[in-house]
Amino acid sequence: MSSVHSSRVVSIPDLRPLAKRRLPRVVFDYLDGGAEGEFTLRENCRAFEDLTFRPRHAVSVPSCDLRVRVLGLDLALPFILAPVGYSRLMDPQGEVAAARCAGAAGTAYILSTISGHRLEDVKAASVGPVCYQLYLMGGRAAAEGSIARARAAGYSALVVTIDTAVSGMRERDWRNGMKELMSGNLLSKVPFLPQVLTRPGWLVRFLLDGGVPDLPNVVIPGQGPMPMTDVAAALASSTVTWEDLRWIRELWPGPIVIKGVLTAEDARRAVDEGASAIVVSNHGGRQLDCVPASLQVLPEIVSAVNGQIDVLMDGGVRRGTDVIKAICLGARAVLIGRAYAYGLAAGGPAGVTRAIDILRAEIDRALKLLGCASISALDRSYVNLERNRREISEPLPA
Ligand SMILES: Cc1cc2nc3c(=O)[nH]c(=O)nc-3n(C[C@H](O)[C@H](O)[C@H](O)COP(=O)(O)O)c2cc1C
C-alpha cells in the first residue's frame, strides 16, 4: 500500500512529514516555508484555532450537501486547488496531476503562471473547470500570449495575483540554495548537492523529467519560453497595477478574480474595477510578513463587499473544520495550497487525491456534528464570535 494510503495518514498534517521524507530539503522548504520570520505563516493556522464552534445538537443529519456555486461554476466541494508554482519540482506530474485530481473530485484547479507544464495539457487533463493565474512576468507581450492561449483552451477564469510586487524574502530558500538549484551553473550547485543526494528517488524522477523545466506558458516573443532561472528577476518587474487590470479586461471577457486582497479598501477597488470575485489571501505567508491571518481580515472584507461579488479566502487551511469556519465568516469557498501540495509531494496524484478525500470526509463529519445539513446553510451563528472578539477584526452584529 502506498504511504499516502497507510493507516497512519489520517489528516493533512500527516502528509507533511511524508513530503519531507520524499523531497530534498531545498524543495520541501520551498513548499513549506514562508517569508522572513514566518509570523504570518504561523498566524494563518493559529487564527483558525482561535475560532470555536457553536454546534446544534440533537439534530439528525443523515447526509450533507457540500456543493457550492462560485464564479458561476457548480462545484461538488467548497474548496478549490490554489496556484502553486513549481509544482513539477514536487512531482513530475505536478500541475497536470493536481488538475486531474481536482476535476475528478468535482472541483476546480487554478494553474500558476510558474508552471512546468503547458496550460493546454493541464486543461486537457481535467474533467472540471480550470482557471489561469496570471503574473505579468515577461511583460505585457508574454501575458497577451498566455491569455489568448488560456481563452482558446477553455479556461474558466483569470486569477490575477496582486501581492507580488517582488518575491517575498523566503529565508529558508536562500539558506538552502534554491537559487543555485534553479541556475544552470553546475559548479554553484556543488555545495548543495548533499541534500539532493539523500533523496535518490526524487533525484531520479527529477532527472528523468529533464531537470529544471522552462516556463512553457510565459513565451516572450522572439525569445521562446522563459527559463525558470529568470523567474525571481522577472517577478520584480511584473507588478500588476489597477491600470493593468483594465488592459487585461480588454483581452479577457470572462470572469476575473483578484487574489491577494487584505483590506476593505482593496476589496472595494476590486469591485469597482469589475472583478467577479476576490481571494482574501496573504499568499500563504510567503510575501509580506507581519500582515494578519487571512481569516482575521475576512469579516472586514466580506462586509465591505456587501454581497456584490464572491469572496474566497486562503491561507492556513489544513482541516475540514477550517473550511467550515471560513465559510461561517462569509467566504463562498476556500482555496487550499500546501494541503494538497504536501499530498502531491508525498505521493504524486495519489497524494493529491488522498488530501482531497481527507478534507471532504472532515467537512462532511464536522457538518453532521454541527447539526448543519449543507454548506450553504452555514453562517455566523455556528461560530463563537464573542469569544474571539479580539481576534476577528469586526464589530459584532448588534
Ligand atoms: C509552494 C507555493 C507556491 C505558490 N505559488 C503561487 C503562485 O505561483 N501564484 C500565486 O498566486 N500563489 C502562489 N502560492 C500561494 C497559494 O496560491 C495560496 O495563496 C497559499 O498557498 C494559501 O496558503 P496555504 O498554503 O496555507 O493553503 C504559492 C504557495 C505555495 C505554498
Side-chain angles (χ1 to χ4, degrees):
M1 187 186 290
S2 92
S3 54
V4 292
H5 287 111
S6 118
S7 56
R8 278 188 227 138
V9 175
V10 295
S11 69
I12 299 295
D14 293 333
L15 289 171
R16 183 176 174 274
L18 294 186
K20 191 170 186 177
R21 220 184 300 150
R22 202 158 173 255
L23 296 179
R25 194 174 68 218
V26 60
V27 183
F28 177 76
D29 277 347
Y30 161 72
L31 157 58
D32 190 60
E36 301 191 357
E38 301 189 339
F39 169 81
T40 298
L41 176 69
R42 291 188 296 276
E43 280 293 290
N44 274 347
C45 292
R46 199 190 59 81
F48 282 110
E49 292 179 359
D50 281 339
L51 190 61
T52 54
F53 285 122
R54 299 181 66 250
R56 293 172 197 177
H57 289 154
V59 176
S60 164
V61 184
S63 69
C64 291
D65 184 354
L66 306 193
R67 290 172 304 171
V68 292
R69 191 168 167 78
V70 185
L71 289 166
L73 304 168
D74 289 312
L75 305 180
L77 297 169
F79 57 87
I80 292 170
L81 274 57
V84 167
Y86 299 125
S87 288
R88 194 167 177 166
L89 287 184
M90 294 157 208
D91 183 272
Q93 294 187 58
E95 296 85 357
V96 167
R100 180 178 297 128
C101 299
T107 192
Y109 172 68
I110 307 174
L111 175 68
S112 165
T113 294
I114 307 174
S115 161
H117 286 283
R118 295 174 67 246
L119 64 87
E120 291 82 0
D121 298 338
V122 173
K123 176 70 180 75
S126 176
V127 293
V130 185
C131 308
Y132 187 71
Q133 178 267 321
L134 185 76
Y135 284 134
L136 282 189
M137 35 201 303
R140 282 190 173 192
E144 231 173 281
S146 46
I147 292 171
R149 284 172 57 192
R151 260 185 92 170
Y155 275 67
S156 300
L158 207 56
V159 178
V160 181
T161 301
I162 61 165
D163 58 13
T164 315
V166 293
S167 188
M169 175 53 176
R170 302 178 199 144
E171 296 181 3
R172 298 196 216 178
D173 290 356
W174 282 81
R175 291 190 196 102
N176 290 336
M178 185 69 174
K179 204 169 127 210
E180 287 75 10
L181 175 74
M182 291 303 188
S183 86
N185 180 347
L186 264 182
L187 259 188
S188 67
K189 292 194 208 305
V190 171
F192 304 100
L193 275 184
Q195 23 166 335
V196 175
L197 293 175
T198 56
R199 297 293 184 275
W202 177 87
L203 185 58
V204 168
R205 282 190 297 274
F206 174 72
L207 293 175
L208 287 176
D209 194 37
V212 178
D214 287 342
L215 298 181
N217 306 318
V218 184
V219 179
I220 304 167
Q223 290 179 38
M226 176 178 281
M228 282 278 191
T229 38
D230 293 357
V231 166
L235 271 178
S237 57
S238 70
T239 316
V240 182
T241 64
W242 296 111
E243 286 68 40
D244 291 318
L245 265 179
R246 277 169 226 156
W247 168 77
I248 291 167
R249 158 63 61 223
E250 283 164 22
L251 301 172
W252 180 266
I256 292 182
V257 182
I258 307 291
K259 176 171 181 281
V261 173
L262 286 175
T263 62
E265 295 88 324
D266 276 357
R268 293 269 2 131
R269 181 84 195 247
V271 172
D272 293 344
E273 297 289 346
S276 301
I278 54 174
V279 186
V280 178
S281 172
N282 50 41
H283 215 111
R286 300 165 72 80
Q287 285 299 110
L288 178 62
D289 197 20
C290 301
V291 294
S294 306
L295 189 75
Q296 200 180 355
V297 293
L298 178 63
E300 163 188 331
I301 291 169
V302 167
S303 70
V305 165
N306 199 19
Q308 285 177 274
I309 57 174
D310 290 344
V311 178
L312 310 176
M313 72 82 70
D314 72 21
V317 175
R318 304 287 182 272
R319 301 250 174 208
T321 48
D322 297 342
V323 178
I324 292 177
K325 287 174 188 178
I327 291 171
C328 286
L329 292 189
R332 174 65 61 131
V334 307
L335 272 51
I336 56 166
R338 293 178 183 85
Y340 83 85
Y342 289 140
L344 178 68
V352 177
T353 296
R354 182 81 184 111
I356 293 172
D357 289 347
I358 287 170
L359 286 176
R360 185 199 294 108
E362 287 180 349
I363 294 167
D364 188 73
R365 185 171 46 246
L367 276 179
K368 287 175 178 156
L369 290 169
L370 273 176
C372 180
S374 72
I375 289 288
S376 59
L378 289 170
D379 62 23
R380 289 181 182 206
S381 67
Y382 286 96
V383 288
N384 280 303
L385 287 175
E386 182 70 49
R387 189 174 300 167
N388 296 284
R389 199 198 306 244
R390 272 170 306 163
E391 306 298 333
I392 303 296
S393 64
E394 202 205 31
L396 291 169

